[in-house]
Amino acid sequence: QVHGYKGVKFQNWARTYGCCPEMYYQPTSVEEVREVLALARQQNKRVKVVGGGHSPSDIACTDGFMIHMGKMNRVLQVDTEKKQVTVEAGILLSDLHPQLGKHGLALSNLGAVSDVTAGGVIGSGTHNTGIKHGILPTLVVALTLLTADGTILECSESSNAEVFQAARVHLGCLGVILTITLQCVPQFHLQEISFPSTLDEVLDNLDSHLKKSEYFRFLWFPHSENVSVIYQDHTNKPPSSSANWFWDYAIGFYLLEFLLWISSFLPGLVGWINRFFFWLLFTRKRESSNLSHEIFTYECRFKQHVQDWAIPREKTKEALLELKAVLETHPKMVAHFPVEVRFTRGDDILLSPCFQRDSCYMNIIMYRPYGKDIPRLDYWLAYETIMKKVGGRPHWAKAHNCTRKDFEKMYPAFTKFCAIREKLDPTGMFLNAYLEKVFY
């Protein structure tokens, strides 16, 4: 019999959301997951599967049964011929990288954080950047799904294709993802080059930047013209790093946190902080190279609030300039640095924010120095208004204020997804407060 725990408190990584599930399970096998679902059916309880707990929203919260997949984390099969790997859904990407490395393989793209599970990445639509690359779920070639009634569905382009197109961004509402098969590439090294520029220069030459670098993104420093351009590209250079404890930690974290805390009493300081830190840390060209996953992932040191919406790529300039104009006309509105801008190829996954269009993701951030919340609602609202106006779609893992009416407008395939969800989970076993806003 599967053992559950009472009195477990779940908190997401940033400690911005939490919940107290009635029972907390850590199954080690498919049979045990099935048992939990059987108990839930008997007792009429809701079920939520949680991965790494990194989503900065309440998407994984429940007061019913919580299933933590951390013990179902094995690599099941590596097909070196096809360069594909099949894993259990609870494996952390940070544990997968060295295992792939043993076979000379790697994932062609990764998000900034690797303490996330394979099942969670395709739950929320994790992305990185690169105009040739889709969001991470586009790397999935097959998956198995355990549905509310205990059936296991094998899904791919060729079997249960409709469910496959829905389940690659599943929001945790279709069932329990058990295994995932990922398309890999031969292991590779990346060189990262970052250099200073201005917002106008980058926006006026966006296409040439996108062509110049396979994984191009840029950071804009609000309350200024400053931009840091970041190119990441395949390289044969030996690993080298420009990291430096004093600048990256003493200055880039400890001093910054202290100054942001002071700015919570003197909001006028924020613009100065943004310009000062750009001058301090981002005015010289920096280069480093390493294995791809070492370059793709970086350490999030700060607890933070974020929003991240995907807009049609051709709206990048309009949206950013409008956000800049709003900040200029409302001097009391503060915005921490950076606004991170990334680019992604369109896909055909039903609830992918990049469904049928090449997209630009615009990620805004407010830090919580020493855990202190800084007022952000006016900035948040101004941002959301611009994003909606240009046809944006919010990142599922991150906080947003959208409801079903919004999603029906944003997603051509929304009703199709709903029909699949209702068929797979007619009683709503896998719903929670977050998902009720989405579907009702």
Side-chain angles (χ1 to χ4, degrees), residues 210-269:
L210 284 162
K211 285 194 190 85
K212 220 175 259 178
S213 174
E214 184 175 353
Y215 305 96
F216 156 68
R217 61 194 163 104
F218 68 89
L219 312 176
W220 170 53
F221 290 65
H223 310 293
S224 80
E225 307 290 329
N226 299 329
V227 163
S228 175
V229 174
I230 301 167
Y231 287 173
Q232 294 173 338
D233 290 283
H234 284 249
T235 187
N236 297 321
K237 290 189 177 174
S240 67
S241 166
S242 58
N244 167 313
W245 182 89
F246 176 73
W247 289 105
D248 296 351
Y249 260 90
I251 303 292
F253 177 59
Y254 294 112
L255 178 62
L256 178 58
E257 184 166 38
F258 178 66
L259 291 175
L260 287 173
W261 180 77
I262 290 182
S263 79
S264 68
F265 307 99
L266 297 166
L269 279 182

Side-chain angles (χ1 to χ4, degrees), residues 305-379:
H305 287 285
V306 289
Q307 280 218 78
D308 195 15
W309 286 48
I311 61 176
R313 195 174 95 216
E314 57 280 6
K315 301 276 190 189
T316 306
K317 181 175 180 176
E318 178 192 329
L320 258 179
L321 291 179
E322 188 159 344
L323 188 60
K324 182 166 181 272
V326 167
L327 289 172
E328 280 165 4
T329 49
H330 298 80
K332 284 207 159 60
M333 201 184 288
V334 298
H336 291 168
F337 77 84
V339 172
E340 185 178 16
V341 184
R342 290 173 285 181
F343 301 90
T344 319
R345 201 183 66 203
D347 60 53
D348 53 2
I349 300 169
L350 303 186
L351 289 191
S352 162
C354 304
F355 181 73
Q356 292 181 348
R357 66 183 196 201
D358 291 346
S359 301
C360 160
Y361 276 95
M362 208 168 283
N363 185 74
I364 64 168
I365 192 161
M366 287 296 274
Y367 296 115
R368 302 175 61 220
Y370 311 122
K372 180 177 181 179
D373 274 325
I374 291 183
R376 61 179 192 281
L377 290 181
D378 47 354
Y379 179 37

Side-chain angles (χ1 to χ4, degrees), residues 106-409:
L107 293 170
S108 62
N109 211 350
L110 289 171
V113 179
S114 276
D115 304 326
V116 293
T117 61
V121 159
I122 70 162
S124 57
T126 302
H127 69 95
N128 180 27
T129 192
I131 202 56
K132 288 200 195 85
H133 299 276
I135 62 174
L136 268 59
T138 58
L139 304 176
V140 174
V141 290
L143 57 88
T144 57
L145 176 70
L146 175 64
T147 61
D149 65 3
T151 313
I152 291 184
L153 299 179
E154 308 270 342
C155 308
S156 66
E157 296 280 2
S158 52
S159 103
N160 291 313
E162 286 221 318
V163 176
F164 182 63
Q165 285 312 52
R168 287 199 290 172
V169 174
H170 57 74
L171 310 189
C173 70
L174 303 179
V176 182
I177 304 283
L178 297 171
T179 71
I180 294 176
T181 304
L182 294 157
Q183 182 60 54
C184 302
V185 294
Q187 193 173 45
F188 61 103
H189 284 72
L190 282 176
Q191 178 179 35
E192 175 175 293
I193 300 175
S194 59
F195 56 90
S197 185
T198 64
L199 191 58
D200 286 340
E201 185 282 321
V202 172
L203 293 176
D204 290 342
N205 301 304
L206 204 50
D207 286 344
S208 81
H209 283 293
L210 284 162
K211 285 194 190 85
K212 220 175 259 178
S213 174
E214 184 175 353
Y215 305 96
F216 156 68
R217 61 194 163 104
F218 68 89
L219 312 176
W220 170 53
F221 290 65
H223 310 293
S224 80
E225 307 290 329
N226 299 329
V227 163
S228 175
V229 174
I230 301 167
Y231 287 173
Q232 294 173 338
D233 290 283
H234 284 249
T235 187
N236 297 321
K237 290 189 177 174
S240 67
S241 166
S242 58
N244 167 313
W245 182 89
F246 176 73
W247 289 105
D248 296 351
Y249 260 90
I251 303 292
F253 177 59
Y254 294 112
L255 178 62
L256 178 58
E257 184 166 38
F258 178 66
L259 291 175
L260 287 173
W261 180 77
I262 290 182
S263 79
S264 68
F265 307 99
L266 297 166
L269 279 182
V270 171
W272 176 85
I273 291 172
N274 290 1
R275 293 185 292 273
F276 177 60
F277 272 82
F278 180 80
W279 174 77
L280 213 54
L281 298 177
F282 295 90
T283 35
R284 57 192 182 88
K285 187 174 172 183
R286 292 177 70 157
E287 288 187 27
S288 57
S289 44
N290 211 329
L291 278 172
S292 57
H293 67 86
E294 299 281 359
I295 294 284
F296 283 138
T297 50
Y298 51 84
E299 189 187 357
C300 289
R301 300 184 188 126
F302 272 105
K303 304 302 184 195
Q304 58 202 21
H305 287 285
V306 289
Q307 280 218 78
D308 195 15
W309 286 48
I311 61 176
R313 195 174 95 216
E314 57 280 6
K315 301 276 190 189
T316 306
K317 181 175 180 176
E318 178 192 329
L320 258 179
L321 291 179
E322 188 159 344
L323 188 60
K324 182 166 181 272
V326 167
L327 289 172
E328 280 165 4
T329 49
H330 298 80
K332 284 207 159 60
M333 201 184 288
V334 298
H336 291 168
F337 77 84
V339 172
E340 185 178 16
V341 184
R342 290 173 285 181
F343 301 90
T344 319
R345 201 183 66 203
D347 60 53
D348 53 2
I349 300 169
L350 303 186
L351 289 191
S352 162
C354 304
F355 181 73
Q356 292 181 348
R357 66 183 196 201
D358 291 346
S359 301
C360 160
Y361 276 95
M362 208 168 283
N363 185 74
I364 64 168
I365 192 161
M366 287 296 274
Y367 296 115
R368 302 175 61 220
Y370 311 122
K372 180 177 181 179
D373 274 325
I374 291 183
R376 61 179 192 281
L377 290 181
D378 47 354
Y379 179 37
W380 250 224
L381 205 62
Y383 168 85
E384 283 198 0
T385 306
I386 296 167
M387 293 295 108
K388 281 183 178 165
K389 195 173 97 180
V390 295
R393 299 166 179 159
H395 188 321
W396 292 108
K398 301 183 183 176
H400 58 78
N401 293 315
C402 301
T403 58
R404 175 165 185 151
K405 273 200 184 73
D406 299 309
F407 292 124
E408 283 173 347
K409 285 194 203 86

Side-chain angles (χ1 to χ4, degrees), residues 51-52 70 73 88-97 114-118:
N73 61 354
E88 289 182 308
I91 193 169
L92 292 172
L93 295 190
S94 50
D95 293 337
L96 177 59
H97 303 321
S114 276
D115 304 326
V116 293
T117 61

Side-chain angles (χ1 to χ4, degrees), residues 74-79 84-87:
R74 291 172 305 164
V75 173
L76 299 174
Q77 196 193 353
V78 179
D79 182 332
Q84 290 175 355
V85 59
T86 303
V87 298

